[in-house]
């Protein structure tokens, strides 16, 4: 039962991070921005992020299940940091209309994901590997954020 409640806690934490997307929507401002030709359609983002957030939750839960918080303080703290940084990106980009600040944030997200993978790897290989698609998507999202920022640097 504790394991199920723990898993639920990780799911809730990940979807709380995702909730910023419900409050800060792309809207007209984003639609007016110049975007690179390789940007995927808007409809792709929600399903991709949903799958990634489930994988992120499972990853954290696997480490917690084996080591609990006391046995994996630093790895789980860095895991929590990447969720907080992830949650901050949407308000920065869509809320404040600041692709520049969002870019700084997403670089920090990327670095914190790498750190989480490195810290999870000796504890639970599966948990570390579950974060690789997240890292790949955030790598792509970082390039997209940078491109949008640069294409619109005179208007944002």
């Amino acid at each position: 039962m504790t394991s199920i409640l723990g898993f639920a806690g990780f799911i809730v934490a990940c979807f709380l991070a995702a909730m910023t997307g419900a409050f800060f929507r792309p809207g007209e401002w984003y639609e007016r921005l110049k975007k690179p030709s390789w940007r995927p359609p808007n409809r792709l983002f929600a399903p991709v992020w949903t799958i990634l957030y489930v994988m992120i939750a499972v990853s954290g839960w696997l480490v917690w299940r084996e080591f609990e918080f006391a046995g994996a303080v630093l790895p789980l703290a860095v895991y929590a940091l990447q969720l907080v940084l992830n949650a901050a990106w949407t308000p920065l980009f869509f809320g404040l209309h600041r692709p520049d600040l969002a870019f700084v944030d997403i670089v920090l997200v990327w670095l914190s994901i790498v750190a989480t993978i490195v810290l999870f790897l000796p504890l639970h290989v599966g948990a570390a590997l579950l974060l690789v698609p997240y890292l790949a998507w955030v790598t792509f999202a970082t390039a997209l954020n940078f491109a949008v920022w640069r294409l619109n640097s005179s208007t944002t």
Side-chain angles (χ1 to χ4, degrees), residues 30 47 56 84 108-109 125 153:
Y30 180 71
I56 296 164
V84 169
L108 295 173
V109 172
V125 173
S153 61

Side-chain angles (χ1 to χ4, degrees), residues 31-143:
E31 293 309 317
R32 287 192 309 266
L33 293 176
K34 294 177 203 157
K35 296 167 208 71
S37 61
W38 45 269
R39 176 188 62 101
N42 289 345
R43 68 182 180 280
L44 183 65
F45 288 90
V48 168
W49 275 111
T50 300
I51 293 164
L52 290 174
Y53 279 121
V54 170
M55 293 172 74
I56 296 164
V58 171
S59 175
W61 172 71
L62 288 171
V63 169
W64 171 82
R65 187 183 67 178
E66 283 204 27
F67 298 94
E68 299 186 348
F69 291 116
V73 172
L74 180 60
L76 290 172
V78 174
Y79 171 92
L81 174 64
Q82 63 79 24
L83 274 181
V84 169
L85 291 167
N86 177 313
W89 184 88
T90 303
L92 290 170
F93 192 93
F94 294 120
L96 296 177
H97 302 169
R98 294 291 306 265
D100 55 342
L101 294 179
F103 179 73
V104 171
D105 178 74
I106 203 166
V107 168
L108 295 173
V109 172
W110 190 92
L111 291 169
S112 65
I113 296 167
V114 170
T116 303
I117 291 170
V118 168
L119 292 167
F120 276 17
L121 199 55
L123 301 177
H124 197 292
V125 173
L129 292 177
L130 278 168
L131 296 175
V132 171
Y134 175 36
L135 180 63
W137 184 257
V138 169
T139 300
F140 172 76
T142 301

